[in-house]
Amino acid sequence: RLPGVGDKGFAYLDDETPELAVAVSPEHRGRGVGTALMERLLSEASGLFAAVSLSVSPRNPARRLYERLGFETVEVRGGHPLMRMKLRP
């Protein structure tokens, strides 16, 4: 969700930080599709936003991808880590 557009989602941090929601079909997982998707999305977002946020199930293997890309857990809501990646200092 983009800041100021629609309802606040589960990964809402503040009005300046967009929330990401990403999914890869099961038949395409483990092939680098998620990594390529996230790298492109973050590259595009870095020119527009200072940070992005997302939430992830604690058992979701994608959590390792998010951590590897630089996301950090800033809070836990309903047992789900809320993660933020700073795109600019």
Side-chain angles (χ1 to χ4, degrees), residues 45-66:
S46 68
L48 301 169
F49 305 103
V52 293
S53 67
L54 56 78
S55 64
V56 62
S57 170
R59 293 185 193 98
N60 187 334
R63 183 176 179 184
R64 290 189 302 276
L65 166 63
Y66 303 145

Side-chain angles (χ1 to χ4, degrees), residues 54 66-67 70-75 81-86:
L54 56 78
Y66 303 145
E67 290 170 342
F71 282 85
E72 297 178 335
T73 299
V74 295
E75 187 178 334
L82 171 59
M83 305 180 85
R84 174 181 58 208
M85 180 176 180
K86 293 182 180 179

